Amino acid sequence: MDRIPILRIGDILLVSVQFDLQDRIATALQEDLAARIVETSANGVLIDISALEIVDSFVGRMINTVASVSRVLDAETVVVGMRPAVAITLVELGLSLPGVRTALDLDRGLAMLTGEQVKAEEIAGTDDDTGGTAAG
């Protein structure tokens, strides 16, 4: 059975879809990714679809489901590398992927995820600082 590799980059998991997704491969990806998020305590998931030239409603739903599962497991998902024709097709199919963030390329997607982590750490640090200071 073919599986899509899931690579770890720090606290982020990278999924690069290099071939057309069939039902069983997409189902395996959802299960594998959910297990890896829990196993690694990943904070983010990058899904690279730059190799996909066409999509259908199944692939659109799969991306949305993977992002939803990741979100429930406390990992933000960014889809990167979407070709213009793929974006147009998804919108025409009525699959605008609500709740799924997108970036033009891997670098920008990675920056989105790591930027969020820095921001979250800053907010947590600010809360600690304000709680322990006294006026005067």
Side-chain angles (χ1 to χ4, degrees):
M1 179 175 177
D2 294 326
R3 290 200 181 271
I4 297 175
I6 300 171
L7 306 175
R8 183 176 179 183
I9 304 171
D11 293 335
I12 296 170
L13 298 177
L14 171 62
V15 177
S16 183
V17 180
Q18 296 295 312
F19 49 85
D20 291 334
L21 292 173
Q22 299 171 352
D23 291 3
R24 61 182 174 80
I25 295 172
T27 301
L29 173 62
Q30 291 173 11
E31 294 170 359
D32 293 348
L33 186 57
R36 288 293 304 268
I37 290 170
V38 171
E39 174 188 312
T40 63
S41 299
N43 294 326
V45 175
L46 278 173
I47 301 176
D48 179 9
I49 61 169
S50 59
L52 296 181
E53 295 182 13
I54 58 170
V55 295
D56 57 15
S57 61
F58 172 75
V59 172
R61 285 193 315 270
M62 186 280 304
I63 293 170
N64 198 33
T65 300
V66 166
S68 296
V69 169
S70 299
R71 191 170 36 253
V72 168
L73 295 173
D74 198 26
E76 184 70 27
T77 300
V78 177
V79 176
V80 300
M82 189 178 302
R83 295 177 183 219
V86 169
I88 292 168
T89 301
L90 287 174
V91 171
E92 287 177 349
L93 291 171
L95 299 168
S96 60
L97 305 178
V100 178
R101 299 176 69 191
T102 60
L104 291 178
D105 57 40
L106 192 60
D107 288 337
R108 291 179 186 192
L110 191 59
M112 290 171 79
L113 289 173
T114 57
E116 283 188 0
Q117 290 173 358
V118 170
K119 185 177 178 181
E121 289 170 2
E122 288 174 356
I123 291 170
T126 302
D127 289 344
D128 291 339
D129 291 343
T130 57
T133 55

